[in-house]
Amino acid sequence: MKWARFNYTNGTQKSPSPYIYLQAWEICLRNKINDFLTWKYNEGWPYENDRAVRNLKGDDRRRLSETILRQERDRSVRPVSTAVIVADLSAGFWVSQLSANYESHYKWRYNKARVFAHNAKLDHNEAWAICDELLTLRNRVAHHEPVFHLPLDERRKNLANIVSAMCPATSAFAEATCNFEAIWAERPKPKKAEA
């Protein structure tokens, strides 16, 4: 049964799982926000610019500090590159950067286009809300938790919109590798109660 194959792509066929698309979203989001932080502060924003780190809220500052310490320990190199830190920071860190907590520091209403350049109509608060929902979905899928009770068709549309707002090429790749909608249309439907 197709629905039972809710898994990853094997390289030869499309994946019915939204996980490939969620990975594309996460990578795209972290790269776009890193580009923004590099533009705003400098390439070494996790280290060299006290202002960048000082502007981070408690959990985000802790996440950054733990990531730097872990990477320096594991690689026996000090300092590790910004690219290494960026790749290791959690999706939660990157989504948090879009929250209202950072509006005064990042001026998202003016700088939103640095992350979501391909959709001028996308409101910053809407972008954060979508990304926050996608973070929950990403975590549930990644940890093999139930997701069928969620409005997956709506989340899939939001996922496509937010990825295309960041990077049309990544969106094209994700669209070409995922056939979630066809599988979703064939999902088992709850039986109607008999009268």
Side-chain angles (χ1 to χ4, degrees):
M1 171 165 41
K2 283 189 197 177
W3 188 249
R5 294 183 297 116
F6 203 69
N7 58 18
Y8 303 101
T9 183
N10 65 10
T12 60
Q13 56 184 261
K14 290 184 174 189
S15 170
S17 170
Y19 195 63
I20 300 294
Y21 222 132
L22 288 165
Q23 288 176 324
W25 161 76
E26 182 177 351
I27 292 166
C28 204
L29 182 67
R30 78 173 188 216
N31 289 343
K32 289 293 192 176
I33 293 179
N34 178 58
D35 289 348
F36 169 75
L37 293 173
T38 297
W39 168 80
K40 183 163 179 63
Y41 300 112
N42 64 41
E43 176 67 30
W45 66 264
Y47 290 109
E48 299 162 6
N49 194 312
D50 289 341
R51 193 169 54 123
V53 176
R54 193 173 54 243
N55 287 340
L56 292 176
K57 304 303 177 201
D59 279 347
D60 293 329
R61 189 178 297 166
R62 178 190 50 77
R63 288 174 183 156
L64 177 62
S65 176
E66 289 173 355
T67 297
I68 291 170
L69 291 172
R70 180 177 51 256
Q71 287 298 331
E72 288 176 347
R73 181 194 67 229
D74 292 351
R75 294 173 183 268
S76 300
V77 174
R78 283 187 92 171
V80 293
S81 71
T82 297
V84 167
I85 295 165
V86 166
D88 192 24
L89 282 165
S90 69
F93 175 88
W94 300 111
V95 170
S96 177
Q97 301 307 297
L98 294 174
S99 72
N101 290 334
Y102 292 100
E103 174 54 41
S104 64
H105 299 299
Y106 299 158
K107 308 284 189 257
W108 282 128
R109 72 182 147 228
Y110 306 113
N111 292 317
K112 175 194 65 89
R114 293 198 171 272
V115 177
F116 304 105
H118 303 282
N119 185 344
K121 293 180 181 178
L122 182 66
D123 174 76
H124 165 257
N125 291 326
E126 179 187 5
W128 174 80
I130 290 169
C131 287
D132 195 47
E133 284 182 343
L134 292 175
L135 177 63
T136 300
L137 177 61
R138 176 241 180 249
N139 290 341
R140 292 188 73 87
V141 170
H143 297 114
H144 305 282
E145 295 175 11
V147 296
F148 298 115
H149 65 285
L150 298 173
L152 293 177
D153 51 342
E154 178 186 317
R155 301 276 164 86
R156 166 63 175 82
K157 289 174 189 164
N158 286 341
L159 180 59
N161 289 337
I162 207 80
V163 172
S164 70
M166 290 187 286
C167 180
T170 301
S171 178
F173 164 78
E175 287 293 329
T177 59
C178 181
N179 68 349
F180 170 79
E181 283 147 343
I183 303 300
W184 180 250
E186 295 180 14
R187 73 192 182 282
K189 309 287 192 289
K191 293 181 181 179
K192 292 183 180 178
E194 294 184 22

